[in-house]
DNA sequence: TTGTACGCGTTATCAC
DNA sequence: GTGATAACGCGTACAA
């Protein structure tokens, strides 16, 4: 009926409901100082015409755009994907428009994207950290920013339980299953968390329980797991812990090809694909989806009221 | 040195360079009617202070936001990820900020997102189509929209070579390798392209070459490939064509578990993971990355000048 | 309680 | 060539 061709403005709504622009503005922004009757009157028109205030205009008034920037390292990272997918509904439910961008592990790109987000008057950001990303880039955003996967001091961070996850895996193998020869395939220590932390946890466990370490480090790809398999197997372990599910995929392929099926594989990180393809693999869930939920809620909290930075560690869970 | 705390406006630049706002605006927008000397003078200041005009303000002036909306079905779709990753650099290079959103195969969500994009004054959109998405939703965007994976009439579309890909697979098996008993695992025909088109191509080839069809249809998951394997194998084919790489993963898992290794598997869709895990599988590359490039360039073309809708089919390629 | 007038940062239309 | 000025849609002191 009503021509909904071109978008209505606050002025039109004012005319239509017989009040002034300011009153309409007050109604929209839930100013308590408006008479019940006029509020209803205006709201009726607003509903009827499906009016929504121009975001650009509000942004210009310094209002914030109801925009959250989400900077992932790579769009095709399975773990980050899960985290993002679980935070999106939360942002939508609170009226925020999440905009996803890719850093490709480049600090320079992060800087670029942050500039863009500032221009767009984004209200807050979520950053998936990586080796080489410096917290100094984020200073401007300090109080409207949640960092994932690295514990930057003075920032709100969501971290994975790298150490606990490895310990859970090793405890299960050593205590419950009485394995004595446990190998480890990890990633280079230059990667502080997935690399350094998980490797160190393995080493620490070994020294604590007087196990002969048998570790080898590569990169994050499944090729790495495949290629490094042999150098761990040469010490004839009865179980092998993989620092990531990709590595576990590679290792499993190797074992499957060589028809080796008396070795237990435990993966830090539990992906649907790994569980499907190699269902005998034991996995430790790092809780990517929970991380997303934590991150989103924490950010919304920060935007609502001043809240001091905290570091949340997502609990891990052994799945057997 | 210079305090870069709060953002400068066009007014500040004007004051700083001793001209008026209008002249600064002209310089920024490459108006040829400005004296060389003043342009240089202004540009110097612009560079020095790293000034960039407020996007919100431009948007309000109806200028367009230099924003491209990209509506994917799911963030973790490997194929769409590839396409998106290949279009992002193109948009960045042309000064556009791509914003990625998830439809989750829901037409209602698409409608919501489109509303949001309109409010934000997005300049154009790219939509990954799916079963249940109606082109009527897109009418407002008709001339600034590229659709991927479905041939909507009167829209610019990038389509995959479903029929050609299946034909290439079958031709290879039948002509070059002399297979006579070729099975097919596909997806339900309700999915018009991946489901209907690829199945029909198989059937057509069979009737053309008088092959006894041996097809079964399920869904897009790798579980489906695994579960349907048996009902195809029961007719003892020597080769099986899988409509997607996920299905091929599932089928390969089944074959591997049963120690069946005399059956050729061909997958429509070539993923890195499939090639890694089951390297003996022959794959037909549908060209997801090329699709992204085509889509981005086509959209940029549409935004620049009037150009009539065309349908581009991405060539497929057999990889053996 | 509501309306008026102004400013946000930009571009477009005039004059000069 | 360049500068003043109006306009975009909105929020908000200030006045009524």
């Amino acid at each position: 009926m009503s021509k909904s061709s071109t978008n209505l403005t606050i002025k039109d709504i004012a005319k239509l409901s017989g009040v002034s622009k300011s009153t309409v503005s007050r109604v929209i922004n839930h100013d308590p100082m408006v008479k019940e009757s006029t509020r209803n009157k205006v709201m009726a028109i607003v509903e009827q015409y499906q009016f929504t205030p121009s975001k650009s205009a509000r942004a210009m008034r310094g209002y914030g755009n109801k925009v959250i920037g989400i900077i992932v390292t790579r769009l095709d990272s399975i773990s980050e994907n899960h985290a993002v997918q679980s935070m999106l509904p939360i942002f939508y439910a609170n009226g925020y428009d999440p905009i996803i961008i890719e850093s490709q592990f480049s600090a320079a790109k992060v800087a670029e994207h942050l500039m863009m987000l500032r221009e767009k008057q984004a209200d807050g950001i979520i950053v998936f950290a990586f080796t080489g990303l410096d917290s100094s880039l984020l200073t401007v955003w300090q109080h409207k920013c949640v960092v994932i996967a690295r514990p930057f001091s003075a920032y709100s961070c969501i971290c994975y339980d790298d150490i606990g996850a490895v310990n859970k895996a090793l405890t299960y193998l050593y205590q419950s299953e009485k394995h004595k020869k446990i190998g480890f395939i990890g990633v280079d220590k230059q990667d502080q968390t997935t690399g350094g932390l998980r490797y160190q946890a393995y080493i620490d466990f070994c020294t604590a329980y007087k196990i002969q370490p048998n570790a080898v480090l590569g990169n994050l790809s499944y090729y790495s797991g495949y290629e490094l398999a042999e150098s761990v197997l040469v010490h004839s372990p009865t179980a092998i812990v993989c620092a990531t599910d990709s590595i576990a995929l590679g290792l499993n392929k190797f074992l499957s090809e060589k028809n080796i099926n008396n070795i237990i594989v435990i993966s830090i990180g539990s992906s649907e694909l790994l569980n499907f393809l190699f269902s005998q693999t034991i996995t430790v869930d790092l809780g990517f989806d929970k991380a997303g939920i934590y991150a989103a809620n924490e950010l919304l909290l920060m935007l609502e009221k001043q809240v001091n930075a905290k570091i949340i560690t997502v609990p891990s869970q052994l799945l057997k």
Side-chain angles (χ1 to χ4, degrees), chain A:
Chain A
M1 293 307 132
S2 52
K3 66 164 206 175
S4 68
S5 62
T6 176
N7 257 356
L8 300 183
T9 81
I10 197 175
K11 200 152 104 193
D12 302 316
I13 302 296
K15 220 166 283 171
L16 251 30
S17 45
V19 296
S20 77
K21 299 186 297 185
S22 18
T23 305
V24 177
S25 176
R26 291 190 182 97
V27 170
I28 292 175
N29 296 310
H30 306 104
D31 186 325
M33 294 295 113
V34 282
K35 201 162 50 176
E36 191 67 19
S37 61
T38 48
R39 150 166 292 118
N40 294 138
K41 192 169 54 181
V42 173
M43 279 305 270
I45 307 287
V46 168
E47 301 281 347
Q48 178 186 345
Y49 289 86
Q50 293 269 39
F51 168 77
T52 38
S54 149
K55 306 234 177 190
S56 340
R58 320 191 83 169
M60 216 182 58
R61 290 293 283 118
Y63 226 58
N65 233 341
K66 286 290 209 174
V67 163
I68 303 290
I70 303 176
I71 305 185
V72 302
T73 60
R74 293 199 44 166
L75 284 175
D76 58 0
S77 156
I78 296 177
S79 53
E80 295 184 8
N81 251 317
H82 274 195
V84 171
Q85 279 183 321
S86 68
M87 60 177 93
L88 289 186
I90 300 178
F91 287 134
Y92 285 135
N94 287 68
Y96 285 90
D97 293 320
I99 106 171
I100 303 168
I101 31 197
E102 218 186 15
S103 71
Q104 292 174 158
F105 299 101
S106 148
K109 293 223 177 204
V110 172
E112 254 179 62
H113 292 146
L114 289 178
M115 179 114 76
M116 183 272 279
L117 289 168
R118 208 155 49 85
E119 278 168 16
K120 281 215 165 28
Q121 306 256 30
D123 300 271
I125 59 171
I126 290 193
V127 180
F128 286 83
F130 53 87
T131 303
L133 179 71
D134 196 87
S135 69
S136 64
L137 271 181
L138 302 172
T139 40
V140 186
W141 296 90
Q142 191 156 10
H143 300 296
K144 24 185 176 170
C145 166
V146 169
V147 176
I148 297 188
R150 288 287 189 289
F152 286 172
S153 71
Y155 286 83
S156 277
C157 305
I158 314 291
C159 292
Y160 297 113
D161 185 19
D162 297 283
I163 298 172
V166 172
N167 279 332
K168 274 176 187 154
L170 291 170
T171 302
Y172 169 76
L173 290 173
Y174 186 78
Q175 313 269 44
S176 311
E177 300 293 314
K178 308 299 179 197
H179 284 274
K180 301 302 173 205
K181 307 187 71 171
I182 306 174
F184 179 86
I185 305 182
V187 318
D188 193 276
K189 279 178 282 186
Q190 206 190 331
D191 183 314
Q192 296 157 40
T193 54
T194 309
L197 248 42
R198 297 183 195 180
Y199 172 70
Q200 196 55 49
Y202 169 76
I203 293 296
D204 290 348
F205 192 95
C206 286
T207 54
Y209 292 92
K210 308 207 190 312
I211 302 173
Q212 176 70 28
N214 172 20
V216 56
L217 303 181
N219 61 47
L220 289 160
S221 75
Y222 28 70
Y223 291 101
S224 190
Y226 183 79
E227 283 159 6
L228 297 177
E230 202 145 24
S231 41
V232 169
L233 287 169
V234 77
H235 300 101
S236 52
T238 59
I240 300 177
V241 176
C242 298
T244 76
D245 57 339
S246 290
I247 293 176
L249 275 176
L251 172 60
N252 270 311
K253 173 180 160 71
F254 187 91
L255 296 177
S256 158
E257 281 178 5
K258 305 290 181 194
N259 266 310
I260 305 173
N261 42 29
N262 58 343
I263 290 188
I264 303 293
V265 178
I266 292 201
S267 162
I268 309 298
S270 178
S271 71
E272 203 193 352
L273 189 65
L274 175 61
N275 287 317
F276 169 70
L277 285 174
F278 303 104
S279 43
Q280 76 287 5
T281 300
I282 299 167
T283 60
V284 182
D285 183 13
L286 286 172
F288 297 124
D289 38 9
K290 276 203 209 80
I293 296 174
Y294 285 143
N297 286 328
E298 184 64 20
L299 184 57
L300 290 179
L301 217 62
M302 295 176 77
L303 296 183
E304 235 172 69
K305 50 174 168 284
Q306 278 291 353
V307 52
N308 31 10
K310 68 171 81 111
I311 294 187
I312 299 177
T313 299
V314 184
S316 60
Q317 189 183 2
L318 183 77
L319 306 173
K320 42 176 186 277

